[in-house]
C-alpha cells in the first residue's frame, strides 16, 4: 500500500502542498505566499506563472524535505481558489493576461448590462448563480475584448480558459490535460448544473467560444499524471476550495453545513441530490461528484473575512500579525461597540451589492487600534449570521451546530463570539485545514484508499464553543450590524 497522499492547496494569497499519511493525518506542509496586484481601484490580479512557480516549488520541497520516495505517493489531490480566471495560449503554454482574481470588480458594469438584457432568471435557474463580477464568465469576456489579438486567437481555437485547477493540471501534465471538475465548472457562469454540461446560451451571452473550455469530470476522477523523477503520480481528486472543505468536514448528508474562515468566508450546506433554489440571496452549487452521482449545496459567500485582518496588518499597519487580534479584541469592553462593514469589494450573500464599500461606525475620541481589531474580527461572525439565517429560511432546516475550519478559527474570541451571536454550538475540528484535507480525501477515495465508512471516521473535534448570550442581547447586537450594513448599500453611484 502506498504511504502518502499530497494535497495541492492553491489559495488566494499563498500556495501550499500538504502531505497526508494513509489515515489522512497531516505529516508535513510547505507554503509560499505570492504577489497580489492591484492595477486599478477594484481590480485584483495574480501572475499565473507566479501561481505555478510557487505551487511547483512547495510541491517539490514537500517531497524532498521529507525524503519521500515518489513510488510511495498514492495520489495528488488539488483544491483551489475558485472563480479566478486564466486564459492561455495552447501552443506556447503562456497566459495572455494576468489571472483575474475572484475578488475583482472590473466587470460589474457588464453584469448590469446583462441584467438589463434579461439574462438574470436564465442564469439563476441554470447555473444556481447570480450575475455578479465574482464569477469567471464575465472575466473571460473581458480578457477576450481587452487583450490584443485574444478574440481572434480564441476564435481560431488557440486559447484555453481555466480556473486555477485547470491551469495547474495543464502545467503538471505538460499540456496533455485540459480538464476541470464539476465543482469548479459550476462557478464559471457557463456550466449548467442541471444538464451537467457547458451551456450554449450562456456561452453566447458571454461571447466565449466552446473550444476554450476544459473537459468536466467528477471530483474523484483521474485527471492525468504528474511525472516526477520517472514516476507517474496520478492526479485523482479536484474540488474548488469551499467544496473541498465541505468534503473535508465530511458533510456528506443533506442538512450538514460548514463555514470556512479564510480570505473570504464561505458557508455551504449539503442539499443532497436536488438543486435547492434560494429565495434569500444564496447560491445553488455543486457540492461534489463521486460514484457517478452529483451532490448539491446551498452556499453563502462573504468576500472579505480574513482579508480584513490582512488589511489591518498591511493597509493600516496597526498589527504585526493576525495572532495579535485575539488579545486586542478581548481587551475592549463588551459594550464598547465599533461596527466595521468590510465591503472593500462589495457585499456578497445575501445582499449581492457590487456597489457597497467598506465603512466603520461608532468611532469616538476613545477609539483605539484594539477597537478596530475587535470590530474586524466580529465582522466575520456578523456576515456568517447573515448567511446562516438565509440558509435556514431556504432549506427549512434549523442547524443544531456549525462546523468551522480555516485559518481564522484558531482565534478563540472569534469562535466564542460566533457561538454567542448564532445561539448554537460552534464545532472546531482538531485539524482545521479542511480544504487541504478534502482534496486529500477525494484523491484517496479516487484511488480506493478510503471508502465512505473510513471518511466518516476521519474528523476529530478539538473544541465546541457554546453560546452564552441571552436572546435579547443577541437580537440587539445583530440589529446594530444590520443598521450599519443598510448605510453601506449602494454606496457608489452606478453611473
Amino acid at each position: 500500500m502506498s504511504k502518502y497522499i499530497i494535497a495541492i492547496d492553491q489559495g488566494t494569497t499563498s500556495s501550499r502542498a500538504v502531505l497526508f499519511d494513509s489515515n489522512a493525518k497531516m505529516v508535513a506542509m510547505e507554503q509560499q505566499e505570492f504577489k497580489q496586484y492591484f492595477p486599478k481601484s477594484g481590480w485584483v490580479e495574480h501572475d499565473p506563472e507566479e501561481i505555478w512557480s510557487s505551487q511547483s516549488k512547495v510541491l517539490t520541497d514537500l517531497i524532498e524535505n521529507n525524503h519521500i520516495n515518489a513510488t510511495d505517493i498514492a495520489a495528488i489531490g488539488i483544491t483551489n481558489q475558485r472563480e479566478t480566471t486564466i486564459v492561455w495560449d495552447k501552443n506556447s503554454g503562456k497566459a495572455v493576461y494576468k489571472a483575474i482574481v475572484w475578488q475583482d470588480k472590473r466587470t460589474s458594469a457588464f453584469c448590469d448590462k446583462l441584467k438589463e438584457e434579461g439574462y438574470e432568471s436564465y442564469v439563476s435557474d441554470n447555473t444556481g448563480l447570480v450575475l455578479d463580477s465574482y464569477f469567471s464568465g464575465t472575466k473571460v469576456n473581458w480578457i477576450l475584448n481587452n487583450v490584443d489579438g485574444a478574440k481572434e486567437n480564441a476564435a481560431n481555437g488557440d486559447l484555453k480558459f481555466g480556473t486555477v485547477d485547470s491551469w495547474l493540471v495543464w502545467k503538471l501534465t505538460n499540456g496533455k490535460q485540459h480538464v476541470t471538475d464539476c465543482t469548479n465548472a459550476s462557478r464559471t457562469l457557463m456550466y449548467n448544473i442541471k444538464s451537467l454540461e457547458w451551456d450554449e446560451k450562456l456561452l453566447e451571452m458571454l461571447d466565449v467560444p466552446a473550444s476554450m473550455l476544459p473537459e468536466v469530470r467528477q471530483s474523484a476522477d483521474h485527471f492525468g499524471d504528474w511525472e516526477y523523477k520517472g514516476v507517474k503520480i496520478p492526479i485523482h481528486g479536484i474540488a474548488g476550495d469551499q467544496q473541498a472543505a465541505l468534503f473535508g468536514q465530511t458533510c456528506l448528508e443533506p442538512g450538514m453545513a460548514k463555514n470556512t474562515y479564510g480570505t473570504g468566508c464561505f458557508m455551504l450546506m449539503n442539499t443532497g441530490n436536488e438543486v435547492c433554489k434560494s429565495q434569500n440571496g444564496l447560491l445553488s452549487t455543486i457540492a461534489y461528484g463521486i460514484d457517478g452521482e452529483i451532490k448539491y449545496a446551498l452556499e453563502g459567500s462573504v468576500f472579505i473575512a480574513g482579508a480584513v485582518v490582512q488589511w489591518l496588518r498591511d493597509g493600516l499597519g496597526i498589527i504585526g500579525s493576525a495572532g495579535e487580534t485575539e488579545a486586542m479584541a478581548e481587551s475592549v469592553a463588551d459594550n464598547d461597540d465599533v461596527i466595521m462593514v468590510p465591503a472593500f469589494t462589495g457585499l456578497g450573500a445575501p445582499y449581492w451589492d457590487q456597489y457597497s464599500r467598506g465603512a466603520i461606525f461608532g468611532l469616538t475620541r476613545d477609539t483605539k487600534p484594539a477597537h478596530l481589531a475587535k470590530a474586524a474580527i466580529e465582522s466575520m461572525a456578523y456576515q456568517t449570521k447573515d448567511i446562516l439565517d438565509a440558509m435556514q429560511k431556504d432549506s427549512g432546516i434549523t442547524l443544531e451546530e456549525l462546523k468551522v475550519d480555516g485559518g481564522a478559527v484558531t482565534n478563540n474570541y472569534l469562535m466564542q463570539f460566533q457561538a454567542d451571536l448564532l445561539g448554537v454550538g460552534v464545532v472546531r475540528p482538531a485539524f482545521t485545514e479542511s480544504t487541504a484535507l478534502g482534496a486529500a480525501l477525494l484523491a484517496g477515495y479516487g484511488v480506493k484508499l478510503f471508502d465512505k465508512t473510513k471518511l466518516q471516521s476521519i474528523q476529530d473535534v478539538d473544541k465546541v464553543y457554546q453560546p452564552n448570550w441571552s436572546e435579547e442581547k443577541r437580537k440587539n447586537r445583530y440589529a446594530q450590524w444590520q443598521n450599519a450594513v443598510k448605510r453601506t448599500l449602494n454606496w457608489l453611484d452606478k453611473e
Side-chain angles (χ1 to χ4, degrees), residues 4 43 45 61 141 144 154 172 188 274 285 298 351 362 425 467 469:
Y4 302 109
W43 290 29
E45 297 177 352
D61 284 353
N141 174 279
L144 294 181
L172 288 166
T188 62
E274 302 298 325
T285 196
L298 277 171
Y351 307 103
W469 288 357

Side-chain angles (χ1 to χ4, degrees), residues 457-475:
S457 67
I458 293 292
Q459 281 283 10
D460 295 323
V461 173
D462 172 48
K463 186 172 181 178
V464 179
Y465 294 82
Q466 297 294 351
N468 295 322
W469 288 357
S470 66
E471 186 62 28
E472 181 181 8
K473 181 175 181 179
R474 188 173 299 119
K475 287 181 178 178

Side-chain angles (χ1 to χ4, degrees), residues 160-178:
K160 298 295 184 184
F161 151 73
T163 41
V164 172
D165 58 305
S166 296
W167 172 245
L168 293 178
V169 173
W170 178 274
K171 289 290 195 178
L172 288 166
T173 63
N174 291 315
K176 291 177 181 153
Q177 297 288 340
H178 183 216

